[in-house]
Amino acid sequence: KAWEKGLGSVGIFLEDDEKKSFSLVGRLADRKVLSSVEQSGLLSAAEKAGLTLTKVENLKLLSTAEKLGVLALVEDAFAKDGATISSYSIPFLLGAIASLVLIPTDNAAVATVHWAATGVCLAGFTALFAGGFVIKSLQEDD
């Protein structure tokens, strides 16, 4: 069904109801992201820092992430529109501004809470805002 009859017999198209299939690994391969990571030396730098695949296996990082639902969260994030994820950053920006304006800095303990709350909100804002753009760029057709 491509459209519905709306108020006043106007056709409303249901384009947003169709979900486009999206393969993260396929998109990364198309954009040659993994080759770029290899050529940039990030993998060698991680290995020199002591982070190897064997160490990741021994620490059970991937299984822990799966048990905590992190992998499902990432999968769900890539299924959403990047602009929607970027829009989730707005409350964090407002929270950072509110913490700067509303929390006083009268003594050291309150000042610590002031700057910690601002930092957490700004980190959340930055992660969601930038993450939305990255996801959107990976979802776009070339």
Side-chain angles (χ1 to χ4, degrees):
K1 187 172 175 181
W3 64 280
E4 284 184 358
K5 189 173 183 177
L7 184 65
S9 69
V10 176
I12 300 172
F13 290 94
L14 299 175
E15 296 171 352
D16 291 337
D17 286 347
E18 297 176 8
K19 295 284 184 183
K20 186 176 180 182
S21 64
F22 178 74
S23 168
L24 174 61
V25 175
R27 182 62 67 174
L28 291 175
D30 290 345
R31 300 223 174 193
K32 299 182 181 174
V33 173
L34 301 176
S35 299
S36 299
V37 168
E38 180 186 22
Q39 290 173 356
S40 69
L42 287 175
L43 299 175
S44 299
E47 191 173 346
K48 287 178 185 174
L51 184 63
T52 62
L53 289 177
T54 307
K55 194 170 218 175
V56 169
E57 286 177 355
N58 290 340
L59 294 174
K60 299 183 181 185
L61 293 177
L62 292 177
S63 61
T64 304
E66 187 175 15
K67 287 177 187 172
L68 294 175
V70 174
L71 299 178
L73 180 67
V74 170
E75 184 181 2
D76 290 343
F78 277 98
K80 288 188 183 290
D81 184 39
T84 303
I85 294 172
S86 289
S87 70
Y88 293 158
S89 69
I90 294 171
F92 287 95
L93 178 63
L94 295 176
I97 292 170
S99 67
L100 281 173
V101 172
L102 299 176
I103 301 174
T105 56
D106 296 338
N107 59 37
V110 176
T112 303
V113 170
H114 169 88
W115 291 111
T118 302
V120 167
C121 287
L122 283 177
F125 168 76
T126 304
L128 287 170
F129 193 75
F133 277 102
V134 169
I135 289 171
K136 187 67 174 176
S137 70
L138 286 172
Q139 291 173 343
E140 289 178 349
D141 293 329
D142 291 331

